[in-house]
């Protein structure tokens, strides 16, 4: 996956790349050509840092509808000769998902383009999954021959076909093709289905991969060898230790946590932290001082998992440290601290934004903590994170924190959030947005009537405008 270049948050392109509600609102008032150019840029150059968890497709599809946008740019992108050379899903996945939503809204041009790409494009499986949800039986049956033609009829080709059938996200097309009146189609698909089921059964019976012997020493050695090969096995190794270690094994595990090889040391630290061992905190502190970068990271992660009051108390002393343990201490207080820790969490939040910027991974926890503890003084920092982060999930967390800390949220960012790309953020906005704004009432009604909207969002909308809504 390429690393996207995100435009400044004050520009139309930057707003659309972030999936902010203001992106839609600005696009609808901008010159149509400029809005479509920015929209096409986003769809053809996926702006998400993690496309598996961030939503954009419905957001962009709705804007295409509002702008009555043509699909020429998407068509040229999908059918470009580069498609045969760059087969990574990140190149075409977002565009195909947008077409899927447009097809569900009744855009026949989007449906026809999906069919064409499923027949000839490199990322055909994604297009077929989109069609499985939206196309009729006749349209799917027409794709049987071109899809099957992708697979040779020799043993290797049939094995690839069986794997494709087995791994299909949406099985509907394959089920239709298995009942196809053309014997050549139905027989081949049925054989692939049977081979895929048999292969899955075999894999379940004979799991592959290295497994440690069932002793503490063997588990620690397994973790050590994994680290030397570049495979981080300390987390599963810690789980194995939970199953095999007894009280008599504690000295060996403590010794490994104090000065063992990296893999074994990480596993031992994780196990001791998870079992709330009385020496775990001191061993974690020592590991941060003397360990390698791998050990330091594992020690900080182990500390964050600790739930007891001793860990929270130690976090109050460590939070000022300028290292990974200090950052972890801030996150521990954000998750499990009390009202007395508000100033410490606020300081950690400010320092993270100042030192690492609005996309720092540590902000996810710190932002949640600011909302959980109701830190009103954090509102300016939270607004900054909301505006500037490129992560729509982090922006949603900032919105939730603002709802708990900022009295201006209902009449401010909550209104914009009704157009946000993330369903959880739209749900939050539906519960908080000030209905005195005419745009809010109109948007709530549109969300309530939109068949593509998530059920949770529509439930929130009905709580505001339905018959059971509280009286104004």
């Amino acid at each position: 996956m390429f690393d996207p270049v995100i435009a400044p948050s004050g520009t139309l392109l930057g707003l659309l790349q972030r999936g902010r509600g203001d992106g839609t609102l600005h696009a609808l008032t901008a010159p149509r050509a400029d809005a479509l150019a920015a929209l096409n840029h986003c769809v053809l150059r996926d702006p998400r840092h993690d496309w598996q968890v961030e939503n954009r497709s419905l957001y962009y599809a709705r804007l295409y509808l509002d702008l009555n946008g043509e699909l020429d740019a998407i068509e040229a992108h999908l059918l470009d000769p580069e498609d045969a050379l760059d087969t990574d899903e990140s190149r075409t996945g977002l565009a195909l998902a947008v077409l899927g939503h447009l097809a569900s809204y009744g855009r026949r041009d989007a449906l026809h383009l999906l069919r064409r790409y499923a027949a000839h494009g490199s990322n055909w499986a994604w297009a077929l999954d989109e069609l499985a949800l939206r196309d009729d039986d006749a349209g799917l049956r027409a794709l049987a021959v071109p899809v099957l033609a992708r697979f040779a009829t020799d043993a290797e080709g049939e094995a690839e076909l069986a794997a494709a059938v087995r791994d299909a996200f949406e099985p509907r097309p394959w089920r239709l093709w298995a009942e196809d009146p053309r014997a050549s189609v139905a027989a081949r698909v049925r054989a692939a289905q049977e081979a895929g089921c048999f292969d899955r059964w075999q894999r379940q019976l004979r799991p592959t991969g290295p497994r440690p012997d069932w002793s503490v020493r063997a588990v620690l050695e397994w973790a050590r060898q994994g680290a030397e090969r570049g495979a981080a096995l300390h987390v599963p190794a810690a789980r194995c230790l939970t199953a095999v270690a007894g009280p008599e094994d504690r000295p060996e595990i403590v010794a490994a946590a104090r000065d063992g090889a990296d893999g074994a040391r990480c596993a031992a630290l994780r196990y001791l932290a998870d079992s709330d061992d009385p020496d775990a905190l001191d061993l974690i502190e020592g590991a941060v001082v003397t360990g390698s970068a791998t050990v330091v990271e594992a020690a900080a992660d182990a500390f964050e998992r600790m739930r007891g009051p001793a860990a929270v108390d130690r976090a109050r002393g460590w939070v000022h440290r300028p290292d990974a343990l200090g950052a972890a201490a801030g996150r521990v207080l954000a998750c499990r601290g009390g009202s007395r820790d508000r100033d410490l969490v606020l300081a950690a939040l400010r320092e993270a934004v100042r030192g690492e910027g609005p996309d720092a991974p540590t902000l996810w926890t710190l932002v949640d903590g600011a909302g959980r503890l109701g830190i009103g003084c954090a509102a300016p920092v939270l607004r900054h994170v909301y505006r500037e982060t490129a992560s729509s999930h982090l922006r949603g967390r900032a919105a939730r924190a603002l709802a708990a800390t900022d009295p201006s949220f209902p009449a401010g960012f909550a209104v914009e959030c009704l157009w946000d790309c993330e369903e959880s953020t739209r749900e939050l906005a539906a519960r908080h947005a000030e209905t005195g704004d005419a745009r809010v009432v109109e948007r709530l009604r549109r969300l309530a009537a939109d068949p593509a909207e998530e059920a949770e969002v529509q439930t929130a909308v009905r709580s505001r405008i339905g018959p059971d809504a509280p009286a104004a």
Side-chain angles (χ1 to χ4, degrees):
M1 175 67 182
F2 58 87
D3 189 24
V5 177
I6 305 299
S9 61
T11 64
L12 175 58
L13 177 59
L15 290 169
L16 292 178
Q17 286 177 317
R18 289 167 172 81
R20 279 183 56 181
D22 258 4
T24 294
L25 296 174
H26 279 65
L28 295 177
T29 60
R32 182 173 177 274
D34 294 345
L36 283 175
L39 177 58
N40 286 329
H41 184 282
C42 293
V43 173
L44 306 186
R45 301 169 183 84
D46 194 336
R48 297 170 292 181
H49 286 278
D50 189 345
W51 62 269
Q52 293 179 311
V53 300
E54 292 190 46
N55 296 314
R56 292 291 189 280
S57 55
L58 180 59
Y59 171 84
Y60 293 142
R62 283 172 167 168
L63 188 51
Y64 271 112
L65 290 177
D66 290 339
L67 296 172
N68 194 25
E70 303 84 3
L71 303 181
D72 296 351
I74 294 180
E75 181 177 5
H77 178 74
L78 293 178
L79 304 180
D80 190 277
E82 184 183 357
D83 186 64
L85 304 175
D86 183 0
T87 59
D88 195 296
E89 288 183 338
S90 63
R91 179 183 175 274
T92 55
L94 179 57
L96 294 172
V98 169
L99 290 177
H101 284 299
L102 288 173
S104 69
Y105 280 119
R107 287 280 298 259
R108 300 292 297 178
D109 52 348
L111 183 65
H112 293 316
L113 183 52
L114 275 174
R115 289 172 177 171
R116 185 177 176 189
Y117 188 81
H120 304 290
S122 64
N123 195 10
W124 62 271
W126 190 316
L128 187 61
D129 285 338
E130 296 290 341
L131 288 167
L133 298 173
R134 282 109 181 172
D135 208 352
D136 56 28
D137 288 355
L140 290 174
R141 287 195 181 100
L143 291 171
V145 171
V147 169
L148 292 178
R150 295 175 177 275
F151 302 94
T153 56
D154 57 14
E156 183 178 354
E158 297 299 345
E160 292 175 354
L161 175 59
V165 174
R166 182 195 67 217
D167 298 336
F169 191 74
E170 294 291 343
R172 180 179 164 227
W174 302 102
R175 290 173 180 170
L176 278 174
W177 299 342
E179 303 299 328
D180 196 283
R182 293 165 291 186
S184 58
V185 171
R188 196 174 181 202
V189 173
R190 287 175 189 163
Q193 288 175 327
E194 293 174 1
C197 291
F198 182 71
D199 180 57
R200 186 181 294 111
W201 176 72
Q202 282 186 312
R203 288 191 297 173
Q204 291 171 344
L205 285 181
R206 295 198 298 269
T208 59
R211 287 175 289 176
D213 295 328
W214 289 105
S215 71
V216 168
R217 182 164 300 176
V219 170
L220 293 174
E221 176 64 15
W222 179 62
R224 182 194 67 78
Q225 293 176 358
E228 290 180 352
R229 298 194 308 269
L233 299 177
H234 63 277
V235 173
R239 290 197 295 267
C240 290
L241 289 175
T242 300
V244 304
E248 69 280 3
D249 297 306
R250 182 178 179 276
E252 183 177 0
I253 297 174
V254 169
R258 182 176 292 114
D259 54 14
D262 280 5
R265 192 175 189 183
C266 293
L269 288 168
R270 176 88 168 209
Y271 167 78
L272 293 171
D274 286 353
S275 57
D276 204 22
D277 187 277
D279 290 333
L281 291 167
D282 291 334
L283 290 167
I284 286 171
E285 185 174 22
V288 171
V289 173
T290 64
S292 65
T294 299
V295 171
V296 170
E297 181 180 358
D301 288 344
F303 171 58
E304 285 192 65
R305 292 173 58 82
M306 299 184 72
R307 296 292 185 268
V312 176
D313 187 61
R314 192 69 69 95
R316 295 183 180 114
W318 286 347
V319 72
H320 303 290
R321 295 174 59 124
D323 58 11
L325 194 54
R331 295 191 291 271
V332 168
L333 294 177
C335 291
R336 292 180 284 282
S339 57
R340 61 181 284 198
D341 302 309
R342 288 174 176 172
D343 290 344
L344 296 176
V345 173
L346 176 59
L349 175 64
R350 287 172 172 167
E351 181 59 31
V353 173
R354 185 184 306 115
E356 301 179 59
D359 290 309
T362 190
L363 287 176
W364 291 54
T365 305
L366 294 175
V367 164
D368 285 350
R372 183 182 73 84
L373 296 172
I375 306 174
C377 294
V381 183
L382 295 172
R383 293 189 203 107
H384 174 76
V385 173
Y386 177 96
R387 292 188 187 98
E388 298 299 328
T389 181
S391 167
S392 54
H393 270 237
L394 178 54
R395 182 176 64 252
R397 288 172 180 254
R400 285 194 295 275
L402 284 167
T405 60
D406 186 0
S408 70
F409 178 73
F413 284 138
V415 176
E416 169 192 342
C417 288
L418 287 170
W419 285 265
D420 197 88
C421 67
E422 295 293 341
E423 64 199 50
S424 58
T425 306
R426 296 195 299 275
E427 178 185 356
L428 177 80
R431 298 189 185 281
H432 288 86
E434 175 57 61
T435 55
D437 189 324
R439 296 176 301 169
V440 171
V441 175
E442 180 185 355
R443 181 61 175 173
L444 290 174
R445 288 172 176 161
R446 180 170 177 180
L447 292 176
D450 190 335
E453 189 52 82
E454 296 293 332
E456 292 82 359
V457 178
Q458 295 190 324
T459 298
V461 169
R462 286 193 291 271
S463 72
R464 301 295 300 280
I465 65 173
D468 298 327

